[in-house]
Amino acid sequence: MTVHGMIEARREELSSRDADEAVAFVTQMYSDNALRFWNAPPQCRVRTSAVMWGDVIATEIRSTIGYTCHIAPLHDHVYFERSLRGRARLRGGGNDFQQHRNDLVVFPVGVPIIADCDSHDVNLLHIPYPMLTDLAAQSGIEPAAFRFTSLEPRDVRSQRFWGRLFDLTHHELTDQDSPVLTELVVQNLTRTLAAAALAVFPNTTMDLHLQPGPGTVPTSAIQRAVDYIHANPASPITVVELATHAGTSVRALQNAFRTQHDMTPLEYLRLVRLDRARADLQASEPSDGDTVAGVAARWGFTNPGRFSQVYKQAFGRSPRHELRH
């Protein structure tokens, strides 16, 4: 039976009525940003907290002050934000956006933003940029060509959908009573959010028809990718990582897998993980205390019901019948 490493959340918090203390904390958290308060009443309040699950960060900021923040161009993460109270004006990348309660925005990579905020309460999710470029690559966009082209969701329906998914993800990652999560569970939860972002916020994957066609891939390169998957199924493998290991472009590898295996590289990875989950279920003993949900999470399937469905499709029987209890 494979045992996956668990990751603990790291929390940092500040609650203060001292503007200078708040500046020092925010400067420590976001070292490339410049923050200036322009309205700090005597009874001002600043409370901020950050919960870090590896490279994924969920942040809450609550304040009753006015401030200007110069947000340096992001490189490693993309910030997604929901406004809960107050007002803000966001300027950068050709955008000039007045943000009000419940508005949702993205802070793209490589774009400096000036934020003028007044008694502004917000929730933020910081998602590793490679997670987004990997998902974009599955659509055929090379990482260097990916970018968001607007701060706002593309329409009202997309905004409603995004708001529900953002709130769910933020709540699960900040819940004080949340159980310890495996790396694969956190990766899959946030990758779902990142995948939705590509459908919600205007970006270059929506211009795929303008991209050149894929190249050819030798059989040996495909086999290198297959061998890598079988050697590392418990790792949060990305399609960019597979293409790099195979020595080819992402789009070419995607096309080659569809031709040779009639599926994408990540669909192939899912089947390998299903095989490993089946082996764990069949090898389980009553004393192990294994459950279907536990084995599913061990191999990166965050929804036990969905896991049971795809498992039965793959093997013709439900996973609970595999347990030797």
Side-chain angles (χ1 to χ4, degrees), residues 158-175:
S158 296
Q159 178 165 300
R160 285 198 296 265
F161 163 75
W162 176 256
R164 292 192 296 268
L165 186 58
F166 177 96
D167 291 344
L168 170 66
T169 306
H170 193 277
H171 177 270
E172 292 302 320
L173 295 180
T174 57
D175 185 358

Side-chain angles (χ1 to χ4, degrees), residues 172-298:
E172 292 302 320
L173 295 180
T174 57
D175 185 358
Q176 293 276 5
D177 298 322
S178 177
V180 176
L181 301 176
T182 68
E183 184 178 9
L184 277 178
V185 170
V186 173
Q187 285 281 336
N188 277 281
L189 180 63
T190 51
R191 280 176 72 87
T192 297
L193 186 84
L198 300 188
V200 169
F201 295 93
N203 64 85
T204 48
T205 64
M206 297 176 181
D207 298 324
L208 183 60
H209 62 284
L210 302 177
Q211 302 295 317
T216 58
V217 177
T219 303
S220 58
I222 302 173
Q223 189 59 46
R224 284 196 296 272
V226 167
D227 291 344
Y228 189 80
I229 287 172
H230 282 279
N232 303 279
S235 300
I237 298 172
T238 68
V239 71
V240 173
E241 183 180 352
L242 286 174
T244 300
H245 194 80
T248 186
S249 72
V250 170
R251 196 174 182 197
L253 183 67
Q254 295 268 36
N255 188 64
F257 256 78
R258 289 190 181 97
T259 299
Q260 182 163 321
H261 296 287
D262 197 28
M263 65 183 70
T264 68
L266 294 187
E267 287 171 343
Y268 188 94
L269 171 61
R270 186 179 70 170
L271 286 180
V272 172
R273 287 176 173 164
L274 281 171
D275 279 333
R276 300 301 175 91
R278 187 187 194 190
D280 280 0
L281 289 168
Q282 292 177 339
S284 176
E285 298 292 341
S287 59
D288 294 336
D290 268 336
T291 64
V292 170
V295 172
R298 185 182 302 150

Side-chain angles (χ1 to χ4, degrees), residues 75-78 109 127-136 143 191 238 240:
H75 299 289
D76 300 326
H77 285 75
V78 172
V109 162
I127 304 299
Y129 187 53
M131 186 178 294
L132 287 150
T133 57
D134 173 60
L135 290 167
R191 280 176 72 87
T238 68
V240 173

